[in-house]
Amino acid sequence: MQITRNSAETAAGPSEWFTGSVYIDAIATPSNGSRISASSVHFTPGARTAWHTHPYGQTIWISEGFGLCQRRDAPIEVIRPGDRVFFEPGEDHWHGAAPTRFMIHIAMQQADDQGSVVTWGAHVTDEEYAAAPGVEN
């Protein structure tokens, strides 16, 4: 058994990966033979990831707020607390907060043999984001 005491500070999401203000708290990092990576990701209203893929897929679980997610060439979906979304390995996608709501999710993925959990692409444009459906309570 190994207990890791929380000593890491909340990190601001890099502008190369996100549009808007995003904050990340690490939960698990690949180490000692484990490939699991997990983070609690806090999105301010309108904030979102860039397009990206994961070598072994990604599961996000929405814990608070309302958000949006989209895979390439598909409609934007509204996501709510308790929703679980799985993105297939290599599936180009993005996710983030609704325009007027905060959203927090737990993101879980596995590292590949080189230690990579994600490949980042282009930012989601304002026009792409604006195509989202309305968020009803």
Side-chain angles (χ1 to χ4, degrees):
M1 178 172 81
Q2 178 181 354
I3 297 174
T4 303
R5 302 292 178 203
N6 186 3
S7 61
E9 294 183 10
T10 297
S15 61
E16 296 83 14
W17 301 349
F18 299 98
T19 297
S21 296
V22 177
Y23 300 93
I24 304 167
D25 290 306
I27 296 172
T29 56
S31 63
N32 299 325
S34 172
R35 293 177 179 248
I36 299 298
S37 171
S39 298
S40 177
V41 187
H42 307 249
F43 294 84
T44 59
R48 57 201 180 262
T49 68
W51 288 99
H52 62 286
T53 62
H54 301 276
Y56 292 106
Q58 179 186 46
T59 297
I60 61 172
W61 180 76
I62 292 61
S63 60
E64 293 184 41
F66 286 76
L68 305 168
C69 65
Q70 182 182 30
R71 62 184 174 156
R72 182 71 70 184
D73 299 323
I76 297 173
E77 300 285 344
V78 175
I79 47 180
R80 298 171 174 80
D83 287 353
R84 183 178 61 244
V85 181
F86 177 69
F87 300 102
E88 296 285 341
E91 183 173 59
D92 203 16
H93 68 281
W94 66 269
H95 35 94
T100 60
R101 302 292 296 264
F102 287 87
M103 190 267 288
I104 300 171
H105 70 51
I106 305 296
M108 299 160 274
Q109 52 275 320
Q110 294 184 61
D112 62 16
D113 291 339
Q114 290 73 45
S116 176
V117 298
V118 62
T119 300
W120 292 101
H123 281 274
V124 174
T125 66
D126 290 341
E127 293 76 22
E128 288 172 315
Y129 183 79
V135 176
E136 295 85 27
N137 292 327

